[in-house]
């Protein structure tokens, strides 16, 4: 749709196509935030699940990144993430580098993130 066209022009890839990328390469995705978790055991790491029309992306946000970019991390409904692909044993994570809040792109789409703190 229109949103994907706009994302494609910005060089944003889909969740599904991350699997075709090389391990350790940089990619940019954007999706609705469906879950944020900061398990007590994970030494300050925040795990975020994003969803686009092709599937889900699991983000790993290190404490320093979370601190520096707290607002988009906590507030965005549509989150753009540029990060490093980590793929092993059939599991893919994107280690977050740059976070941007693109919620304005979706207007009033009724999407409430299910947050776990």
């Amino acid at each position: 749709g229109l949103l994907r066209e706009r994302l494609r022009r910005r060089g944003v890839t889909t969740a599904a196509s991350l699997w075709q990328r090389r391990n350790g390469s940089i990619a940019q995705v954007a999706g609705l935030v469906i879950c944020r978790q900061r398990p007590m055991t994970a030494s300050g790491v925040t795990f975020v699940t994003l969803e686009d029309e092709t599937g889900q992306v699991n983000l790993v946000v290190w404490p320093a990144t979370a601190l520096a970019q707290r607002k988009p991390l906590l507030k965005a409904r549509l989150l753009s993430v540029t990060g490093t692909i980590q793929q092993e044993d059939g599991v893919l994570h994107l280690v977050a580098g740059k976070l941007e809040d693109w919620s304005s792109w979706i207007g009033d789409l009724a999407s409430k993130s299910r947050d776990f703190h």
Side-chain angles (χ1 to χ4, degrees), residues 63-84:
T65 306
L67 199 62
Q69 304 182 78
R70 200 178 152 73
K71 206 170 173 202
L73 176 64
L74 297 179
K75 297 273 185 281
R77 288 190 296 149
L78 180 67
L79 183 65
S80 154
V81 184
T82 304
T84 308

Side-chain angles (χ1 to χ4, degrees), residues 32-62:
L32 295 173
V33 176
I34 58 172
C35 174
R36 294 180 184 90
Q37 289 178 286
R38 217 170 75 197
M40 298 315 291
T41 53
S43 52
V45 177
T46 306
F47 297 99
V48 180
T49 307
L50 291 188
E51 190 170 70
D52 68 11
E53 74 278 18
T54 69
Q56 296 187 348
V57 182
N58 296 309
L59 304 177
V60 174
V61 187
W62 294 113

Side-chain angles (χ1 to χ4, degrees), residues 13-23 25 54 85 87 92:
T13 191
T14 63
S17 65
L18 285 180
W19 294 91
Q20 273 78 66
R21 301 289 186 97
R22 212 175 64 254
N23 197 21
S25 64
T54 69
I85 294 172
Q87 193 181 344
L92 188 147

